[in-house]
Amino acid sequence: MTIDGQDGLRRRTADEHMFQPDSGTWTNATFRIQVFTAPGLRPVGIATQIPGQDGRSLTNAAEIYAAAVWERLCPEEAQPPIWIENQLLQSTAEPRLKVVRFGHAEPFRLTDPSWETIDPPRLSQLVGCEVDLTRGDGYIPPPPEPEPIEVFIAFPVQQLPLTTPFRAACMVEPSRRSWPGQFQFLSRRRGAIGRRTCCFYHQIDWVQVNKVGIPVLKKAWGEGLRGEELITEVEDRAAGLLSDQGSRDALGTLLHDPIHIVRDGEGWAWINGQHRTQAMKDLGIPLTIVMIYEWPEADELPDLR
């Protein structure tokens, strides 16, 4: 199907600013659809969308969206409308126009899309009049998605994800043996596990850091402190309770450069903090301060609130 020989004066017979294709799982997708028709000419459908705001993109669902417009807005037509994609870049609001050709068409079912760029003057020539290429006054932007809340909690060290530390020669990947409901981590190093002098991570008295840091953090959180105010207050309160500068510095890393994990299916995945975690696993530390993006269910994790 081609647009050659299809130029002509058309009349706009449909203009829906929040057209929803109702295509299965993509019911939240919307776009503006304008349909231009004239006797003896194929209708022209111009779909306008803001990528990233209107759900599944015009490109990714071209055949679904064009078929929906064909079925609902011009079902009497033997052929689908000439389909024009108009994707508006949010940064410039400039249109990006493309003609979409479909390799196979049967009533309200399209396949094998291919794309070719078209400029606004050529589109006006095809339709026979100027076309409004904005998103339209009736556009209702989606509500902004909530930002994840960064939350400090006390987390069982042995339930943190398996580490893959690097750079530090003293860090060895642990083997893991699992029993129902718990993990046991075994170091490949022989001999007693304790504080070492090999690196910053193993030199730290993590027992003292967490014994002091967790209650102080819990108290400050309960007082409603958040963000930088929370971090500063925790450091100030803990300074007089930690016996050495190394412990104070280590607590600072848990607050300013936190061990950061995110949900990954049924478990957790790393963003940051594998070396400190491995050192604490080697030392048998029960709980440490970590940061997550959301409040977990109360029965899953210790709650610092």
Side-chain angles (χ1 to χ4, degrees), residues 21 37 42 44 49 73 92 109 113 140 189 200 213 218 235 244 247 250-251 258 281-282 304:
T37 62
R42 282 179 60 197
V44 175
Q49 191 185 63
L73 299 183
T92 63
R109 183 173 180 272
I140 303 173
R189 286 182 174 272
F200 167 82
K218 182 175 181 178
E235 286 185 302
D244 63 276
S247 295
L251 178 60
K281 285 181 177 180
D282 289 345
L304 278 181

Side-chain angles (χ1 to χ4, degrees), residues 80-108:
I82 297 171
W83 190 249
I84 309 292
E85 287 182 3
N86 176 30
Q87 300 199 69
L88 300 177
L89 294 175
Q90 296 182 53
S91 57
T92 63
E94 291 294 325
R96 291 186 299 172
L97 297 170
K98 292 185 179 180
V99 180
V100 185
R101 295 184 172 87
F102 299 98
H104 176 72
E106 56 186 64
F108 317 132

Side-chain angles (χ1 to χ4, degrees), residues 157 171 194-196 199-215 242-244 246-255 257-259 273-290:
V157 172
M171 295 286 177
R195 289 176 63 187
R196 309 170 187 165
C199 67
F200 167 82
Y201 309 104
H202 281 108
Q203 290 180 53
I204 295 301
D205 185 353
W206 291 110
V207 173
Q208 180 73 0
V209 169
N210 288 290
K211 184 178 180 180
V212 169
I214 290 174
L242 293 171
S243 58
D244 63 276
S247 295
R248 291 190 287 273
D249 291 343
L251 178 60
T253 70
L254 295 179
L255 300 171
D257 185 27
I259 296 172
Q274 296 190 58
H275 290 85
R276 285 167 290 173
T277 295
Q278 187 57 51
M280 282 189 264
K281 285 181 177 180
D282 289 345
L283 292 168
I285 304 300
L287 294 174
T288 193
I289 297 167
V290 306

Side-chain angles (χ1 to χ4, degrees), residues 5-305:
Q6 289 293 321
D7 297 356
L9 179 61
R10 290 173 171 83
R11 181 173 62 91
R12 188 169 69 180
T13 54
D15 184 10
E16 295 188 25
H17 292 200
M18 293 293 290
F19 185 87
Q20 290 185 291
D22 294 331
S23 50
T25 59
W26 305 107
T27 54
N28 291 329
T30 65
F31 52 87
R32 180 183 184 181
I33 181 64
Q34 300 175 77
V35 177
F36 294 82
T37 62
L41 295 173
R42 282 179 60 197
V44 175
I46 302 170
T48 301
Q49 191 185 63
I50 302 176
Q53 288 192 8
D54 286 331
R56 195 179 187 189
S57 73
L58 295 174
T59 297
N60 288 338
E63 57 270 54
I64 296 173
Y65 294 170
V69 169
W70 183 12
E71 181 175 15
R72 287 162 53 184
L73 299 183
C74 43
E76 71 285 352
E77 298 288 339
Q79 296 186 71
I82 297 171
W83 190 249
I84 309 292
E85 287 182 3
N86 176 30
Q87 300 199 69
L88 300 177
L89 294 175
Q90 296 182 53
S91 57
T92 63
E94 291 294 325
R96 291 186 299 172
L97 297 170
K98 292 185 179 180
V99 180
V100 185
R101 295 184 172 87
F102 299 98
H104 176 72
E106 56 186 64
F108 317 132
R109 183 173 180 272
L110 301 170
T111 61
D112 305 320
S114 61
W115 289 263
E116 181 179 326
T117 300
I118 184 174
D119 58 28
R122 179 67 185 93
L123 177 60
S124 297
Q125 179 182 341
L126 172 67
V127 175
C129 60
E130 294 295 321
V131 178
D132 180 5
L133 296 177
T134 69
R135 189 60 178 81
D137 295 337
Y139 175 52
I140 303 173
E145 294 187 3
E147 293 291 329
I149 301 173
E150 294 183 334
V151 179
F152 287 106
I153 66 169
F155 197 102
V157 172
Q158 300 299 341
Q159 292 180 24
L160 285 165
L162 284 171
T163 61
T164 54
F166 61 100
R167 292 181 182 160
C170 58
M171 295 286 177
V172 293
E173 293 184 5
S175 61
R176 183 180 72 178
R177 298 177 183 177
S178 60
W179 288 263
Q182 66 175 349
F183 292 106
Q184 177 174 322
F185 294 85
L186 303 177
S187 172
R188 292 176 185 168
R189 286 182 174 272
R190 295 186 180 275
I193 295 176
R195 289 176 63 187
R196 309 170 187 165
T197 60
C198 48
C199 67
F200 167 82
Y201 309 104
H202 281 108
Q203 290 180 53
I204 295 301
D205 185 353
W206 291 110
V207 173
Q208 180 73 0
V209 169
N210 288 290
K211 184 178 180 180
V212 169
I214 290 174
V216 170
L217 177 62
K218 182 175 181 178
K219 188 173 189 300
W221 184 274
E223 294 170 1
L225 300 178
R226 301 291 185 270
E228 289 300 320
E229 186 180 16
L230 171 72
I231 291 172
T232 300
E233 189 66 22
V234 170
E235 286 185 302
D236 290 345
R237 294 181 186 183
L241 301 174
L242 293 171
S243 58
D244 63 276
Q245 187 60 47
S247 295
R248 291 190 287 273
D249 291 343
L251 178 60
T253 70
L254 295 179
L255 300 171
H256 293 280
D257 185 27
I259 296 172
H260 204 165
I261 55 175
V262 294
R263 290 185 182 276
D264 181 24
E266 297 298 320
W268 298 87
W270 289 105
I271 291 181
N272 187 47
Q274 296 190 58
H275 290 85
R276 285 167 290 173
T277 295
Q278 187 57 51
M280 282 189 264
K281 285 181 177 180
D282 289 345
L283 292 168
I285 304 300
L287 294 174
T288 193
I289 297 167
V290 306
M291 177 181 282
I292 62 171
Y293 275 130
E294 60 179 347
W295 278 115
E297 289 75 9
D299 60 350
E300 288 188 29
L301 297 172
D303 191 349
L304 278 181
R305 288 176 291 180

